[in-house]
Amino acid sequence: MIKTNLKALLLLCLVSTVMISCGSNSNEVVLKYVTDKTLAVSRINLNELDGKLPKEEIAKDPKMQNMSDNEKEAFQLLMNGESAGINMDEPMYVMVDNVNNDMAVSIIMSLDDVKIFEQKFSKLTRKEVKVDTAKKTVYAGSELIGTLDDDVLILSKFTNYNNSYGENYQETDEKYYADFRARKATENESVQEQIKMALTEDTDMSLWVNLHGVINTASKGYIESLAVNKLLLNAALAVSVRFEKGEIVMASQTHFNDEMRKVVEKYYEGKGVNYDMVKNIELDDTSGYGIGFFSMDLVRYMVKEAGLESAANNMLASQELTLDDVMNAFTGDFAYANFKYFQNYSEDNMQYGVYPKQNMLLALGIDKTKGKKMMDFINTKMMPMIQSQGTVHMTNSMMVFATEPAKLEGIKKNKIANNTKLNKETGLNSISWMDGSQINEGLRYTNMRTNIKEIVSTAKVTDGAFTSEIKITLDKNKENAIHYFMGYE
């Protein structure tokens, strides 16, 4: 166990140390390598993380005494990355590219002393690390591991995710690295601007994902033949993570072209969380809940633009339904609640030992007039299967499923719920809350020195972009969240 924890500790230190630098926010170091085939770029701000690592606690940890001399030497190197020849005034980047229908993952960082880098990393890898500045190659023993482009170190590896049987296996050879250094950077101004906005210096970690590129790669280029392609051009996602005292904050935002933004605005204008969905549902009795709106009209529009309407209608024809029949039945409003577990168990589960019975509720907004055909189908064809798992109750505006019939009583009797936990924030398209009980149960066998108090998520549409924030709050806030997750106070 000690050895396992020690290895995990060293791994965390490795990630953290190579992440302990960052000053510039221009991202010029990585932008010159970003091409139209780049699928994702992440930036790790080591400077931000450096002050948040529990270095003193790690150094005093009794487990350090169980390290071998080589492990101690490696640990000291990792905890003092500034003396390893790395330029700590620049961030570290991780980039994913589509190369010959495979994905290559590259780590990019700047060096300020090649000789010191060779010396220190030779000790770390236990192989002679040699940089040939003339050939611009980096070897560890006999293995080519990277290239040096001026003062920029690039270490790449193919995932070979399409080559499970060893066919067309790709490796990073000298030609690959020569091509990497000679890359023609993308001239797409939208991509350049997105990366500058997404990868910032005021977060610990940030990520830019080329959504159109990912979809195009997954579809092997088929998306380009569809009308929906014009809406997805330059589509991207930006994500950021900050570790604060007693909490972790994650944020995301989509980037769309002008045409797609107009489409999103059209279908979300004036739409938001319908808090009436839970006016008769006691959320104070839950371990988690969510309320929101998702545009069914946007889904219908995208399906048609993708050329999938005929396929959907053909699939539904056997039930005498169409895509419009299904979409017209639901308003897009939804709510769910996970109630605290009952301490009663069904006989079916007893063979697996003590197992808590699920206790949840799902409510969907419906339009009984426009969606009559779909409602008839649910009542005649689907109801027996649904009711084998719980109870369904229909109102004029909602279809509600609950595993425990008692949870429907408030709706049936139109009893107004207390819902003191619910913060009816305006301007949102979704809001969710959960306590940490179930997650804490899974984490109790780890080294964590804290419990998760709550997780709150909010999302909204602004100027045709989807934005969200997730805040994880711990039950301790004296130190940064990283301290507690690594097992220190």
Side-chain angles (χ1 to χ4, degrees):
M1 176 65 76
I2 290 176
K3 203 73 172 177
T4 301
N5 290 339
L6 192 56
K7 289 180 179 178
L9 186 63
L10 279 172
L11 180 60
L12 280 169
C13 292
L14 173 61
V15 173
S16 304
T17 303
V18 181
M19 298 183 193
I20 297 177
S21 77
C22 169
S24 167
N25 192 41
S26 66
N27 298 304
E28 294 302 327
V29 170
V30 75
L31 277 172
K32 69 178 182 179
Y33 302 115
V34 173
T35 72
D36 294 333
K37 293 289 187 179
T38 298
L39 301 180
V41 184
S42 67
R43 170 173 172 155
I44 303 166
N45 286 336
L46 311 174
N47 192 39
E48 288 287 327
L49 284 170
D50 187 30
K52 299 177 180 181
L53 291 173
K55 291 185 179 182
E56 292 184 10
E57 290 85 348
I58 293 173
K60 296 176 182 178
D61 195 314
K63 290 189 279 292
M64 289 286 292
Q65 305 307 315
N66 298 312
M67 285 185 177
S68 67
D69 291 340
N70 286 332
E71 286 172 334
K72 288 180 180 178
E73 187 175 22
F75 176 79
Q76 291 301 323
L77 170 62
L78 294 173
M79 292 302 289
N80 297 279
E82 67 277 359
S83 63
I86 299 172
N87 182 354
M88 303 314 254
D89 293 326
E90 294 290 345
M92 182 183 83
Y93 297 95
V94 179
M95 186 161 66
V96 180
D97 294 294
N98 180 358
V99 180
N100 299 325
N101 296 317
D102 197 355
M103 285 190 283
V105 180
S106 303
I107 295 175
I108 300 171
M109 65 182 80
S110 299
L111 300 184
D112 59 11
D113 194 311
V114 173
K115 292 299 180 184
I116 292 178
F117 169 79
E118 288 177 327
Q119 176 189 353
K120 298 293 186 179
F121 276 78
S122 292
K123 291 181 178 180
L124 183 63
T125 62
R126 300 184 189 180
K127 294 180 180 179
E128 183 184 10
V129 174
K130 187 67 178 176
V131 178
D132 188 323
T133 53
K135 293 183 177 181
K136 300 187 176 183
T137 56
V138 182
Y139 277 85
S142 60
E143 180 185 1
L144 176 65
I145 62 170
T147 187
L148 190 66
D149 188 13
D150 293 329
D151 62 345
V152 178
L153 176 68
I154 302 162
L155 310 173
S156 298
K157 195 78 173 177
F158 278 103
T159 63
N160 285 294
Y161 75 101
N162 276 328
N163 302 315
S164 56
Y165 298 102
E167 299 177 3
N168 302 316
Y169 192 84
Q170 297 192 79
E171 293 184 342
T172 50
D173 53 20
E174 291 192 15
K175 181 181 183 306
Y176 166 86
Y177 283 117
D179 291 342
F180 198 109
R181 296 191 300 271
R183 281 184 171 188
K184 185 179 186 302
T186 182
E187 297 178 352
N188 189 321
E189 293 181 0
S190 293
V191 169
Q192 294 173 0
E193 198 60 33
Q194 287 171 9
I195 291 176
K196 289 177 181 179
M197 291 175 61
L199 308 184
T200 63
E201 65 179 357
D202 59 353
T203 61
D204 294 321
M205 293 178 283
S206 49
L207 171 69
W208 170 84
V209 180
N210 178 357
L211 292 179
H212 179 260
V214 170
I215 295 170
N216 192 33
T217 299
S219 68
K220 299 186 183 300
Y222 177 67
I223 191 70
E224 294 182 353
S225 66
L226 303 177
V228 74
N229 187 63
K230 69 180 185 297
L231 298 174
L232 298 176
L233 286 173
N234 296 329
L237 175 68
V239 181
S240 66
V241 181
R242 300 195 324 270
F243 297 97
E244 305 293 353
K245 284 190 174 183
E247 65 181 25
I248 302 169
V249 181
M250 294 176 282
S252 69
Q253 177 178 342
T254 59
H255 294 278
F256 295 132
N257 60 38
D258 290 343
E259 188 170 354
M260 183 62 184
R261 285 205 308 272
K262 290 177 182 177
V263 170
V264 173
E265 287 176 343
K266 174 183 177 180
Y267 291 116
Y268 275 87
E269 184 178 4
K271 303 293 185 179
V273 175
N274 179 6
Y275 291 104
D276 284 344
M277 293 286 289
V278 296
K279 68 178 182 179
N280 305 126
I281 302 171
E282 284 290 352
L283 299 182
D284 289 351
D285 189 33
T286 67
S287 60
Y289 65 81
I291 320 163
F293 170 81
F294 186 78
S295 175
M296 304 303 290
D297 289 330
L298 177 59
V299 174
R300 175 172 20 208
Y301 178 83
M302 296 300 288
V303 169
K304 290 181 177 181
E305 287 294 304
L308 299 175
E309 183 181 14
S310 295
N313 285 333
N314 288 336
M315 185 173 63
L316 293 167
S318 63
Q319 305 298 334
E320 299 182 347
L321 293 170
T322 66
L323 176 66
D324 284 340
D325 291 332
V326 176
M327 295 298 169
N328 287 337
F330 301 100
T331 65
D333 294 317
F334 67 87
Y336 67 85
N338 289 314
F339 296 94
K340 295 171 183 176
Y341 286 130
F342 285 136
Q343 294 304 310
N344 59 337
Y345 311 92
S346 67
E347 292 183 3
D348 293 340
N349 289 326
M350 290 308 293
Q351 60 180 313
Y352 302 108
V354 176
Y355 193 86
K357 186 177 181 181
Q358 184 67 38
N359 189 359
M360 59 84 67
L361 178 149
L362 174 66
L364 300 175
I366 59 174
D367 188 321
K368 283 187 172 181
T369 302
K370 292 182 179 180
K372 185 177 185 305
K373 289 184 69 175
M374 185 62 187
M375 291 298 105
D376 290 343
F377 172 74
I378 291 173
N379 285 322
T380 58
K381 301 289 184 68
M382 296 183 65
M383 198 60 73
M385 179 185 68
I386 296 174
Q387 290 185 331
S388 68
Q389 302 298 317
T391 303
V392 175
H393 177 68
M394 294 276 195
T395 72
N396 289 330
S397 60
M398 290 194 305
M399 179 174 68
V400 190
F401 167 83
T403 54
E404 295 293 331
K407 297 304 178 184
L408 297 171
E409 289 303 309
I411 298 172
K412 291 178 179 180
K413 297 177 180 179
N414 195 25
K415 180 183 178 182
I416 303 300
N418 293 317
N419 291 346
T420 58
K421 291 181 181 179
L422 179 60
N423 176 20
K424 293 184 178 181
E425 188 175 344
T426 59
L428 299 178
N429 289 103
S430 72
I431 182 170
S432 67
W433 170 91
M434 66 179 293
D435 66 19
S437 56
Q438 294 183 51
I439 298 176
N440 292 333
E441 181 67 21
L443 294 174
R444 64 178 177 156
Y445 299 108
T446 69
N447 290 327
M448 272 186 56
R449 294 297 183 92
T450 185
N451 285 318
I452 294 174
K453 183 179 178 181
E454 65 176 7
I455 302 174
V456 178
S457 173
T458 58
K460 60 184 177 181
V461 174
T462 305
D463 297 328
F466 295 97
T467 63
S468 69
E469 181 181 271
I470 300 174
K471 182 179 289 187
I472 303 172
T473 304
L474 309 180
D475 64 358
K476 296 178 182 178
N477 58 17
K478 182 181 177 181
E479 299 290 349
N480 189 277
I482 295 177
H483 282 241
Y484 302 122
F485 277 110
M486 292 184 67
Y488 300 103
E489 294 288 353

